[in-house]
Structures are given as structure tokens and as C-alpha cells.
Amino acid sequence: MADYAVETNALVKVFGSTRAVDGVDLRVPAGTVYGVLGPNGAGKTTTVKVLATLLRPDAGEARVFGRDVVRDADAVRGRVSLTGQYASVDEDLTGTENLVLLGRLLGHSRPAARERSAQLLEAFGLSEAAGRQIKNYSGGMRRRIDIAASILNTPDLLFLDEPTTGLDPRSRNQVWDIVRAVVAQGTTVLLTTQYLDEADQLASRIAVIDQGRVIAEGTKGELKASVGAGAVHVRLRRAEQRPEAERTLVAALGATVQLDPDPVALTARVDGHRTELGAAEQAARALAELARSGVTVDTFALGQPSLDEVFLALTGKEAPADPGASGDGGEEREERA
């Protein structure tokens, strides 16, 4: 097996006047989860479709396990599988019928297809729902059956394109467990996501894509170090003092201040590269300024920036909201499976 599951060089895909992919360079180590992180419209899905041979690139090169995605498209297709943003199973068939049908299309005998289907349904916690039509599955169950369909034949490379969009927290965690299990069996996973916690949980390396270009790449630690900053987390005694605390921190640190969802919490970046003072000294000065301004601080901490803060520093955009922030009833339906 090649050292890299995916290699791209100056990859370009154009739609009309839009350069959806604008010179993307990627190196995805085999046997890992590689995260491609970016906001909606960044070019993530288009990149995956090119790598999966569903779209032809307009310029540049892309290889999967050393095979060119244009010249050796059939060989590439034999080693990859793709789970897109929307379930590709037939909603009028049962879980078992879907997997058996796909198994037969992939060349399994009927007994072998039924055996493999039963194995996957058991592994993904869907045995009790195997005889139910997919249209009666919850969102989380649909994502699990969709991933199961993608690994009926174990692929060398699995593309997961935003696999947890819209799922509740429990269903997300179940999908994450499945991803970890797939990688433990030797499959490389290229995961696209707009959710920072998902990349943080799963990916050993992350490429940040914005407007069709890779703007940063590395491990989580390398990305956090690349912005040259720490993060000051402040929790106040009284919510009405937050506007004054924000003004004080901006003046003391000359940095962006993020208002956290908690009405008494703020987060500010401190850049140890920007001044002669280190991050700890800047944080101490900020705490002193807050006290002089009459702001009462309950807790004060200095740490590494979160991936949210890295994302904001790199793209100038807030990270998308947590998909588990509000439920859609899927959890209750899954409990009755």
C-alpha cells in the first residue's frame, strides 16, 4: 500500500465562472482519518467528487493509492467508497433488503449477501430494525445504514462527506464510533465536515479549506500553534458587566474578543508573537485591567486556542453552530427501534 492514500497537486474544478476547487494540494496518509474542514461552499464536496471519480478535474492532478483519478478511474473506483451528505438507500425497502440488494450488485451470492448484511446490521446496532422500511428510521439510523452500505465490500479508502449534519448528539457519537471502528480495520477515511468538534474528535490531520483553497494543514496542535496565540477564558460574576469586560479586554490585549453562549463568559486571543510580552504576561495584564475597571471575575484561565478560535483566525468567519444544539425528534424514534 502506498504511503499516501490521496495525493493532489494544484487540483482545480471550475463551474462556469466559479472556481469551486482552486489549486488544492492534499497528502492523506494511509490508515488514518484525515479531516477536510471548511464552511458551506468552501469546495469540500467538489474535491471529494473529483477524488471519487464522479467529476473530472479541469486542471492539476489527483491520485488515489498512486492511481490517477482520470487515467485509472476504474482502478480507483475498485478501492474507494463514498457516503454522501444524503442517504442513498431505498426508503421503501427494509434495512436487510437494502444491504442484500447492494451486496448482490457488488457480486456476492445471495447467501453471502445475507450473511454480510446481518453482520453489518448487528455491528451498527440495527438488528432490531432490520425488517423495517428505511423511511421509518430516525436520522441517525439512516446515516448508520448508509455507512454500512458503503462498506459491504471493505474499501481501502472511505469518503465520508459531512456524515453527521443534522444529527442529535447521541447519533453523532454513534457515527463517530463507527468511523473509529472502520479505521481500526485498516481503512483510510477522508472526512469532510464543517463542525470543529468532529474534526477534533476524529482526525489525526486536518486541512482547512476556504473558497476552494487549502489555507492551513496539519495536526490539531500544529494548527493551534500556527495562529501564534493562546486563549484567555473569562467568567464574570455579573452578566451586565460583560460589555465593559469586552471593551477592557480589547484595549488591554488588542485582540478579538468572542462572546460565548454563556452570558457571563468571554474568550479573548493573546498573541505571544505580536509583542515582547508572552501570552502569560499579557493575560496577567488583562486580569489587572479588568480589576481596575471594576469588573468582577469569577474564573480566569489561559490555554491553547480551541479549533473554533483557529478557524476564526484563519477564515475570518465564525464556526458553524453545533448540530446537536436542537433536536428534531430523531432520538425518540430511535429509542423505539
Side-chain angles (χ1 to χ4, degrees):
M1 184 176 289
D3 291 337
Y4 292 109
V6 172
E7 296 176 88
T8 71
N9 180 40
L11 191 65
V12 173
K13 181 61 186 177
V14 178
F15 298 102
S17 61
T18 302
R19 294 174 73 86
V21 178
D22 191 12
V24 165
D25 295 325
L26 292 176
R27 301 290 183 273
V28 178
T32 66
V33 179
Y34 190 93
V36 177
L37 177 66
N40 280 330
K44 305 185 301 296
T45 296
T46 302
T47 299
V48 164
K49 287 183 176 180
V50 170
L51 294 173
T53 75
L54 298 177
L55 290 174
R56 191 181 184 95
D58 293 307
E61 296 179 323
R63 293 181 295 278
V64 172
F65 295 108
R67 299 281 192 156
D68 187 273
V69 298
V70 176
R71 293 190 299 272
D72 302 317
D74 286 344
V76 170
R77 291 177 193 132
R79 303 190 67 175
V80 306
S81 189
L82 168 64
T83 296
Q85 295 181 30
Y86 305 102
S88 59
V89 289
D90 189 325
E91 294 201 343
D92 291 325
L93 299 181
T94 68
T96 294
E97 288 168 346
N98 265 285
L99 295 185
V100 169
L101 172 61
L102 291 170
R104 295 285 286 150
L105 290 172
L106 289 169
H108 294 278
S109 66
R110 185 173 296 278
R114 294 194 68 85
E115 180 180 0
R116 179 60 173 159
S117 299
Q119 290 173 351
L120 290 170
L121 289 164
E122 175 67 26
F124 286 19
L126 293 170
S127 292
E128 293 184 12
R132 288 167 44 190
Q133 290 177 301
I134 298 297
K135 64 185 176 184
N136 296 317
Y137 281 19
S138 71
M141 295 166 70
R142 292 180 191 212
R143 292 311 285 162
R144 282 185 277 154
I145 195 77
D146 209 31
I147 296 173
S150 297
I151 61 172
L152 275 161
N153 285 349
T154 304
D156 294 322
L157 173 61
L158 175 61
F159 297 106
L160 292 178
D161 191 14
E162 301 196 17
T164 64
T165 297
L167 297 188
D168 59 83
R170 180 187 173 199
S171 297
R172 267 196 305 161
N173 287 331
Q174 290 171 333
V175 171
W176 291 352
D177 288 341
I178 289 168
V179 173
R180 295 183 185 106
V182 167
V183 175
Q185 295 176 1
T187 295
T188 304
V189 172
L190 192 151
L191 168 77
T192 77
T193 183
Q194 56 180 311
Y195 300 130
L196 299 162
D197 61 338
E198 187 155 81
D200 210 353
Q201 284 281 336
L202 296 175
S204 55
R205 295 188 71 84
I206 300 168
V208 181
I209 290 185
D210 193 29
Q211 297 181 345
R213 298 186 179 189
V214 176
I215 59 174
E217 197 276 345
T219 65
K220 291 171 285 189
E222 288 169 347
L223 290 176
K224 291 174 180 180
S226 72
V227 301
V232 171
H233 304 281
V234 179
R235 186 176 177 82
L236 308 175
R237 180 74 52 84
R238 298 192 299 275
E240 63 269 20
Q241 290 190 322
R242 190 159 78 161
E244 178 61 29
E246 181 183 7
R247 286 190 292 270
T248 301
L249 289 173
V250 169
L253 299 172
T256 301
V257 175
Q258 178 180 332
L259 301 180
D260 298 341
D262 185 336
V264 295
L266 309 87
T267 299
R269 291 178 57 218
V270 288
D271 191 343
H273 298 167
R274 187 176 58 84
T275 71
E276 293 181 359
L277 293 178
E281 290 84 356
Q282 290 183 65
R285 185 174 66 179
L287 182 59
E289 290 297 327
L290 287 170
R292 275 193 285 272
S293 299
V295 175
T296 305
V297 175
D298 262 352
T299 60
F300 186 92
L302 173 64
Q304 263 198 322
S306 67
L307 274 181
D308 297 75
E309 292 151 357
V310 171
F311 190 85
L312 177 61
L314 292 172
T315 67
K317 303 168 186 172
E318 296 284 352
D322 187 325
S326 60
D328 59 0
E331 187 69 29
E332 180 182 354
R333 291 168 59 193
E334 187 162 357
E335 286 296 329
R336 295 200 299 266

